[in-house]
Amino acid sequence: MTRASGPAALAVEDRLLRALAVLRAVVLANALVLDVRRLDDAAHPRGLAGCLLLLVAWTALATWGYAVPGRRTPTLLVADLLVAAGLLLVSPVVLGGELDATVPGFWVMAPLLAWAIHWRWSGGLVAGVVLSACDLAVRDHFTQANYGNVFLLLVGGPVVGLMSASVQQMAEQRDVAERNAAAAAERARLARAVHDGVLQVLALVQRRGAELGGEGAELGRLAGEQEAALRALIRRQDSLGTSPAAGPGADPVAGPVDLAEDLARLESTRRVTVAVPGSPVPVPVRVARELVAVVEACLDNVARHVGPAAPAWVLIEALPGEVTVSVRDEGPGIPAGRLDRAEREGRLGVTESIRGRVADLGGTATLSTGPWGTEWELVVPVEG
């Protein structure tokens, strides 16, 4: 049986069960009035009085139990249904004679609706079948009134369950839409801040570096590359956040996209050779974005520590359930202890830009280095 899971769905369930608590009190009052009037005519007045005391006590206990989500256990719901079924079955014994109305009367709708709200249409159907069977078992004759009671139980439970499920789903979708709208607003704010600050500074460095020449020109070139990459990232974020195809509740970074195509574009801006498989490598957008960022961080290290003209190679392998990206250069390698020393000094390029990003994707980043050069092997799991 399916039940509410998210905070929004749980809030809807809380509200519906609070309304049910009021209904439970109303139908209890109705049952008490009817049964007290026929107390003297009952076959076992003390038995009927005991049933009424049980009805009052259980109504109070059930109202207390359903008030808190942690107390809405299967034990509580099953006990609620058993109380209703038991009162139906003992009605001929305590009332005697020809049975016009059972002891609980309309009170049985309270457990029925509780099952429908908590376990949706399947819960409403199960509770309706149980209560209908008990009601028919105590009848000597199957009348039009009996048929109407059974019909309402069998139809009302699943219908209320479907309505409960629909309202809960709409509440969850509304929450997702509100979160997406808040995220889009935050992206727009950050984009403005980046545009007004970082992008303008990078553009200024690019222009001034070209005017200075020499090392300044190289610095300007690198600033231009970073400006272009940052602008592309902002555009991609905007397109993902505002795509109408995503719809409420959709993951805006679900993908898939071709990782091989994204990495192959690096050849136009970097001194790198990218070897890709003969077929596309589809991965979620977030995985592709993070892996491209990791590869760019590796290539930045090559340009910084080996030389701006040093060649590098990127290899992509698509295996069942995972994708492997290797980044290799032919530099002098990384001296032993250098990465640990850099991390202690607060320079977290390798820790955060490479290993941190891959770890967030659930993968591993393995470093191999020596006089022959440096190679990063990035292994990331990919569903499907």
Side-chain angles (χ1 to χ4, degrees):
M1 296 180 183
T2 306
R3 59 152 297 171
S5 56
L10 191 59
V12 171
E13 182 179 300
D14 290 341
R15 184 178 292 271
L16 291 175
L17 288 175
R18 284 197 297 270
L20 178 59
V22 177
L23 176 63
R24 192 184 290 264
V26 172
V27 292
L28 171 64
N30 178 75
L32 290 176
V33 170
L34 294 179
D35 288 330
V36 168
R37 291 181 59 185
R38 54 183 175 175
L39 191 61
D40 295 335
D41 299 329
H44 297 280
R46 292 184 178 180
L48 179 57
C51 290
L52 295 180
L53 290 176
L54 173 63
L55 200 59
V56 173
W58 181 254
T59 297
L61 181 61
T63 301
W64 172 83
Y66 286 116
V68 177
R71 296 197 288 259
R72 294 171 204 156
T73 61
T75 302
L76 175 64
L77 280 102
V78 171
D80 198 13
L81 185 61
L82 289 178
V83 169
L87 291 173
L88 285 174
L89 294 176
V90 302
S91 294
V93 177
V94 298
L95 293 176
E98 186 174 350
L99 188 66
D100 294 328
T102 60
V103 172
F106 293 123
W107 186 89
V108 297
M109 72 171 61
L112 173 72
L113 296 180
W115 276 58
I117 293 171
H118 190 74
W119 280 323
R120 302 184 178 178
W121 73 267
S122 54
L125 179 60
V126 169
V129 169
V130 171
L131 294 174
S132 298
C134 293
D135 187 72
L136 292 177
V138 300
R139 305 289 183 177
D140 295 330
H141 306 286
F142 186 72
T143 64
Q144 183 70 24
N146 298 338
Y147 167 78
N149 293 337
V150 171
F151 179 80
L152 290 177
L153 289 173
L154 293 178
V155 173
V159 168
V160 172
L162 284 173
M163 293 178 61
S164 174
S166 299
V167 174
Q168 291 172 359
Q169 184 178 9
M170 290 172 60
E172 289 181 332
Q173 290 175 347
R174 181 204 61 196
D175 271 18
V176 170
E178 290 177 351
R179 288 196 298 270
N180 287 344
E186 180 64 12
R187 280 195 298 269
R189 186 188 67 80
L190 291 176
R192 290 193 297 270
V194 170
H195 181 271
D196 293 341
V198 179
L199 290 178
Q200 292 185 3
V201 172
L202 290 175
L204 177 61
V205 171
Q206 181 183 15
R207 290 195 300 271
R208 293 292 297 161
E211 295 173 0
L212 294 174
E215 294 184 356
E218 177 62 18
L219 180 62
R221 183 186 68 80
L222 294 175
E225 291 179 359
Q226 295 303 312
E227 180 195 6
L230 191 54
R231 289 186 185 278
L233 177 61
I234 292 174
R235 286 195 298 270
R236 173 176 289 183
Q237 289 282 3
D238 288 341
S239 63
L240 289 174
T242 58
S243 174
D251 183 358
V253 290
V257 297
D258 186 5
L259 176 63
E261 181 181 352
D262 284 358
L263 289 177
R265 293 195 187 101
L266 295 176
E267 290 184 328
S268 62
T269 58
R270 305 270 187 165
R271 186 173 175 79
V272 61
T273 301
V274 181
V276 301
S279 58
V281 183
V283 298
V285 171
R286 175 172 177 261
V287 175
R289 185 175 63 218
E290 293 297 297
L291 281 177
V292 170
V294 171
V295 171
E296 288 182 329
C298 294
L299 297 178
D300 288 340
N301 287 336
V302 174
R304 185 178 301 112
H305 299 294
V306 183
W313 292 265
V314 175
L315 172 65
I316 310 171
E317 296 179 271
L319 302 175
E322 67 180 28
V323 61
T324 301
V325 178
S326 302
V327 184
R328 180 176 61 86
D329 65 64
E330 293 181 344
I334 302 175
R338 180 173 180 176
L339 295 182
D340 294 334
R341 187 169 59 255
E343 184 174 354
R344 287 194 300 269
E345 294 173 354
R347 292 180 282 122
L348 305 178
V350 170
T351 302
E352 296 297 335
S353 297
I354 299 177
R355 287 180 175 149
R357 276 193 167 104
V358 176
D360 287 345
L361 297 175
T364 58
T366 305
L367 173 64
S368 302
T369 185
W372 45 267
T374 300
E375 180 175 3
W376 282 99
E377 185 178 75
L378 317 171
V379 181
V380 174
V382 179
E383 294 184 0

